[in-house]
Structure formats: C-alpha cells, structure tokens
Amino acid sequence: MTVKYLQRSIWQRIFGISATNKPQDENGWHYESGKLIISMEKIRELTQPGAAIRFEGKNLPERVLVVFGEDKQYRAFQNRCTHIGHRRLDYVPGTQTVQCCSVSKSTYTFDGKKIHGPAPDPIQSYRVKVTEKELHVQIQPV
Ligand code: FES
C-alpha cells in the first residue's frame, strides 16, 4: 500500500497539532458502561463520508478517533500513536489509513497495522455498532 502524507506544516508536525477537530457539540457524546456513545443527531460532522472526529476528556478513559470512511463504514481507534511521543492520529482522506500528526508520520491501516514510520506496534481499534440514532464504540471489553 502506498503511503500518502497528510499536508501539514512543519510547525504543526513539530508541535503535534492534530488536523482532526473535536465535535462542535460536546454534549453530543458521553461515556458509560465501557462505551463511547455518540448522538448522530448532534454530531452531524460524522455523517459526511471522509469525515473524522476526535473524542477526549470528560470521563473517557482514552482518546478516541472515529472515522466515517469514504466507503461509509465507521471505524474507531485509540487516538495514540505507539511511537514514543504517543501523539494523536488523523485520518488521511482518499486512503484506508490513519497517520500520526508528528514529524515522523507513523501510518497505520484501518486494521491497525503499522505500514510506515518508527512506531513499534499496531494501534488499538474498537468495535463500532451503528444504531438508528447513535454510534456505540466499545472501549472496554464486555
Ligand atoms: S509519536 Fe507518532 S511517529 Fe512519533
């Protein structure tokens, strides 16, 4: 698989500034019983194919990146590169990859496997269930 680099400035890479936004409506999600629960009525950004949003804070035990791919499939990952800086990841549009926002650009396939960069390990991915009005991302094992 050819690696495509997300276009970021050197300063964005040095400081590890993620290209992915947090949700506009922070009331549109919560964490309970080991699941990140996202209201699709409130987090409208995730209804556009090729979109990604990062979730962090509140009582969420880990940062989470949710991607709605161009194939209209939802995927979720622990938003933490396995390289030593443990920086955030971004979806790379037009690919089936997510990429570290740092200078070294470790890149992972949608199944979590590293295909580029110094990161030593795969990233954790999470099961996503789509209901009528919500996305359920299983963070903790059932
Ligand atoms: S922290 Fe991701 S490549 Fe270094």
Side-chain angles (χ1 to χ4, degrees), residues 81-87 89 100-106 108 117-119:
C81 181
T82 63
H83 188 223
I84 194 160
H86 301 305
R87 294 214 164 154
L89 306 168
C100 180
C101 64
S102 77
V103 174
S104 299
K105 306 183 196 86
S106 285
Y108 307 84

Side-chain angles (χ1 to χ4, degrees), residues 1-80:
M1 181 184 286
T2 308
V3 174
K4 181 177 165 187
Y5 299 122
L6 204 58
Q7 288 305 307
R8 307 289 290 154
S9 75
I10 187 65
W11 297 111
Q12 288 169 321
R13 294 237 174 244
I14 287 171
F15 290 113
I17 298 170
S18 170
T20 308
N21 291 323
K22 292 162 110 176
Q24 289 176 7
D25 184 352
E26 286 284 348
N27 294 319
W29 67 274
H30 65 282
Y31 177 73
E32 95 183 23
S33 306
K35 288 182 196 158
L36 166 62
I37 299 171
I38 301 167
S39 163
M40 298 310 289
E41 291 174 335
K42 292 185 176 170
I43 313 285
R44 300 297 303 162
E45 306 97 297
L46 275 178
T47 59
Q48 298 299 316
I53 294 289
R54 62 185 165 102
F55 296 87
E56 51 196 68
K58 300 186 189 177
N59 60 339
L60 194 61
E62 297 160 3
R63 299 186 308 234
V64 177
L65 175 69
V66 176
V67 175
F68 185 41
E70 278 119 1
D71 59 0
K72 299 189 177 171
Q73 298 295 312
Y74 285 99
R75 296 173 178 87
F77 309 92
Q78 183 178 23
N79 195 1
R80 186 176 194 267

